[in-house]
Amino acid sequence: MWSKSRTAARAVRLVAVFCLGEVLTMSGFALVPVLLPRFTAEWGLSATEGGWLGGVFFLGYVAAVPVLVAATDKRDARRVYLGATLVSGASLLLFALWARDFVLALLCWMGAGLGLAGTYMPGLRALTDRLDPAHQSRGTAFYTATFGVGAGLSYLLAEGAQRLFDWPWLFAIAGGAVLAAGALVAWGAGPRPQPQAGAPDKAVPGAAQDDGWRGVLRDRRILAYCGGYLGHNWELFGFRAWLVSYLGWLHAAEPSALTAMPGVAAAVATFCAVPASILGNEGAHRWGRQRWLARVMPLSALVALVVAGFGGAGLGVGSGAGMGGTLTVVVLVAYAATMSLDSAALTAGLITGTDPGRRGKALALYSCLGFLGAFIGPVAFGMALDAFGRDHPAGWAGGFVTLALAVLLGWAALVRRPLA
């Protein structure tokens, strides 16, 4: 009993250290989305260029994650994490000092995304390597849900601090927070436990401990999770990249108290992802992972189409004949929750069912394809705006339709093959 209590207490401490570190590394996450209307006006950007600026963060992530996450199969993921905090912190500081036009901002923001590639999934790997199997699933759920906490706090930082400081100071503050995260994990994580002799990690039946990339790419179960994560991130980050801009447009068309401070409304919507993600993992435990995902992903697509229908298609927006800005924000918050019901269930399913010998490579592929979707989402949304009119309701409706199609793409990848 005493041994179990000590193990549980150690698990709580580790989860707290890595979750707090994740919040700090996410400090700058929402700065470009919140400041995108300002950058667009000052630098004369089209909606497609705005989508590139919002999405290039994830292009940097995709470029680095196959190497960085796969490296955790051979070395302690904490070392990768610490190096990445230096890259991310430096990129944010360079944004503050250097980025004064579209091209320079792209380069700095891409560097910040590259740094996230070395902290998010390597941080998860460093955490789960230090947890006993009984705590890995829920530890994963809390860690992945904390992504939403970090993103929400980043929205609040950007919304509040931009009223007090010039925007370069926001990037400088965020860079300092990322460096603090590295110091926290260096101090609080401790070394990775060594496997006990004669007690190898439990393997998935029929799987080799280390059969390289070929084994990962041939594993249909891993590929199904990767496809689901691609669709999830396309939807999630397309939504987050354009949410503040959409709320600003909505406020101009139909002013309300909830749209007057778009950064705060975006933060509330983002915070709703946290309990939704944790509850989603519990739902997957209770009703079965594949059954759960097959239900909640189409639900998210349906809510996206509802937002497109009355929030974007102009059914009363600005005319007083429809539901108006306030109810649109309520639906957006509900949408933010539904789109996160699959998040932790996807990641926990991949980790707990993948053999430890190939887990790093599986996470690398999963993260690479997922954040490729995170890059595509903002760009596709911006292209829809340019195609149908950024100042026209049909443009925003088209943007939300791209999000619905994205999550249905992920759903299709998951339901075609068994996940067990």
Side-chain angles (χ1 to χ4, degrees), residues 367-415:
S367 195
C368 183
L369 292 179
F371 281 85
L372 177 63
F375 163 69
I376 295 171
V379 176
F381 200 115
M383 292 175 69
L385 284 173
D386 278 339
F388 298 104
R390 184 168 184 171
D391 295 322
H392 194 279
W396 294 102
F400 284 103
V401 169
T402 67
L403 305 185
L405 293 176
V407 71
L408 290 176
L409 176 66
W411 169 80
L414 287 163
V415 298

Side-chain angles (χ1 to χ4, degrees), residues 153-188:
L153 289 174
S154 182
Y155 276 110
L156 288 179
L157 168 68
E159 177 67 36
Q162 70 172 327
R163 301 170 186 272
L164 302 174
F165 306 104
D166 290 338
W167 66 261
W169 282 103
L170 277 62
F171 286 89
I173 293 168
V178 173
L179 297 176
L184 172 66
V185 170
W187 167 78

